[in-house]
Each structure stands twice: as C-alpha cells, then as structure tokens.
Amino acid sequence: NAGVMQNPRHLVRRRGQEARLRCSPMKGHSHVYWYRQLPEEGLKFMVYLQKENIIDESGMPKERFSAEFPKEGPSILRIQQVVRGDSAAYFCASSPLDRGSYGYTFGSGTRLTVV
Amino acid sequence: AQSVSQHNHHVILSEAASLELGCNYSYGGTVNLFWYVQYPGQHLQLLLKYFSGDPLVKGIKGFEAEFIKSKFSFNLRKPSVQWSDTAEYFCAVNPSLYGGSQGNLIFGKGTKLSVKP
C-alpha cells in the first residue's frame, strides 16, 4: 500500500516561472492537506481539500497560489510567478476521514528552490 | 490564535542519556495532540498521538509523552536515546470536536535532536 506520493522531490524554478507540485494521497484517503515548511520554521498549514472541493484555504497566500483536487488524478498546488521567498519544502498529507481523527500521513515533500 | 511552542531549538545528547522535549500549546478547548519525527531528508512520521483517556501515551521506538491539561503541555520523553534518534521533532495540535479532530494541524517550530555516539 503506497504512502502519500509527492512529485517532484526537488524542483528548481527561475523567478517569474510557475511551479506545479503534485500529491497523490494514500489509497482510500479522500482528504488532502498542504503544508509549507520554511527554513528554521515548523510546518504551516496552507489548504485542506476533498475531491473537487476546497474546504479550508485560510493558510494560502492571497495571490499566486492555488490548489485543486480533481475527481481524477492527484492534488495540485500551483504557484504562479514564483519569487525567492517561495523557496521551501511543501508537504502534502492525507487522511481517510474528514476530521483526520485517524491521523495524517505525510508525503516526502517537494523542495522548491527559486533562483 | 492557537499556537504551539517548542522551547528547545537544538538539543545535543550523548547516547543513553534521557530525553525530554517540551511542548506547550495555547487553546482553551479540547485538543488532539501529536508528536512527529522527521529524519534527515525524509517525511514526517507519526511518533504518537493523544486524543483522550490515559494522559501518558506510549508511541513507537520507545517514545512516550504526557498530557498535562493544567499546564497545556505535551512533553515528549525517552529514557535512553540512541544515535539513530537524531532527527527533528515536531509537536502539533488540532482542536477536538466531539472526539474527532477539526482538520488542519498547528505545528511547533521543531526541535533538532543530535545524539552523539
């Protein structure tokens, strides 16, 4: 049973380019969470999605960032016109129920570097 | 706003020493509490969690944590650390509603543990 799969593991983008980060939840999990980890910081919640629905995006920056979790395929975190401050590790987690009561399983993360 | 404080940024211990990592949270209601470990270059793994019941929780790899409600604390302990415990440790909370959790986790900034062989 594969865990949460994130790709790519490492992503390098020049300032102004777009970054697309993918997350496939564990089999049977229909709830996805995105977190960002800045250097020397803990993980910060960004967005919580179910299939075709954004449940909570209170942690998402107002501009340039968007997320989706389509009916088919992985969840995508999209960052438009990246800036150096977007350099971070982005982690996806999934859970089987809407409240995460059974815990969250994290992926290995995507490390985004903006040059 | 809810927050989680981990008091130690970096802890250095020798093998066989005892470990205690502090975690305090600010939230007036019922919470679920978690400790995660992140080994170098890897993803977060759940060490243990507390939802209800016995406030002394035992997790994997010999770790345990004690929930002290009056102190808003959930400190992580291990009686004897090993070199392989070198990692970063994150405390996290989320509000509890009717025994379940409410979505996202709030993480502390993490504590780096270095164990000298």
Side-chain angles (χ1 to χ4, degrees):
Chain A
N1 186 13
V4 177
M5 304 300 292
Q6 287 189 250
N7 65 81
R9 289 292 300 274
H10 299 276
L11 181 61
V12 178
R13 284 287 176 266
R14 295 185 186 281
R15 280 179 293 173
Q17 290 185 318
E18 179 180 283
R20 281 184 179 239
L21 289 64
R22 294 174 185 77
C23 169
S24 296
M26 279 188 72
K27 187 176 180 181
H29 288 194
S30 55
H31 303 266
V32 166
Y33 310 79
W34 284 94
Y35 289 82
R36 177 165 62 174
Q37 185 180 28
L38 294 166
E40 304 300 319
E41 295 282 333
L43 280 77
K44 302 288 187 189
F45 167 74
M46 298 181 76
V47 62
Y48 163 32
L49 309 108
Q50 295 177 30
K51 289 279 188 183
E52 300 183 281
N53 280 311
I54 297 174
I55 306 302
D56 180 356
E57 56 181 347
S58 57
M60 287 279 270
K62 295 288 186 285
E63 298 177 348
R64 303 187 297 107
F65 284 73
S66 62
E68 63 177 8
F69 190 14
K71 188 176 180 181
E72 301 290 338
S75 175
I76 306 287
L77 179 68
R78 182 182 177 205
I79 312 172
Q80 295 178 293
Q81 299 176 332
V82 295
V83 300
R84 287 228 171 104
D86 297 332
S87 296
Y90 291 82
F91 289 94
C92 170
S94 70
S95 68
L97 297 176
D98 63 347
R99 300 299 186 184
S101 301
Y102 291 87
Y104 307 77
T105 302
F106 281 85
S108 296
T110 293
R111 280 157 181 80
L112 172 66
T113 302
V114 179
V115 297
Chain B
Q2 300 151 25
S3 65
V4 177
S5 298
Q6 291 184 242
H7 316 296
N8 310 103
H9 180 65
H10 192 185
V11 172
I12 303 172
L13 295 173
S14 298
E15 274 194 318
S18 65
L19 170 73
E20 180 160 3
L21 302 181
C23 173
N24 287 87
Y25 64 93
S26 64
Y27 181 70
T30 305
V31 293
N32 298 312
L33 298 151
F34 305 80
W35 275 97
Y36 282 86
V37 61
Q38 187 178 26
Y39 297 102
Q42 296 189 25
H43 62 281
L44 278 79
Q45 299 174 41
L46 182 65
L47 270 180
L48 48 79
K49 61 185 178 183
Y50 172 80
F51 278 29
S52 64
D54 187 345
L56 185 60
V57 180
K58 294 194 183 299
I60 61 171
K61 305 186 181 187
F63 286 91
E64 64 179 31
E66 184 175 12
F67 171 49
I68 302 179
K69 188 175 181 180
S70 60
K71 295 184 177 180
F72 298 89
S73 70
F74 190 55
N75 292 355
L76 181 71
R77 299 195 292 250
K78 185 171 183 178
S80 177
V81 295
Q82 301 171 320
W83 176 78
S84 58
D85 293 324
T86 295
E88 190 158 15
Y89 293 81
F90 293 93
C91 180
V93 304
N94 71 354
S96 172
L97 180 66
Y98 307 125
S101 71
Q102 284 202 59
N104 74 83
L105 294 169
I106 302 165
F107 282 86
K109 291 189 175 183
T111 298
K112 290 181 183 174
L113 172 65
S114 299
V115 180
K116 295 181 176 179

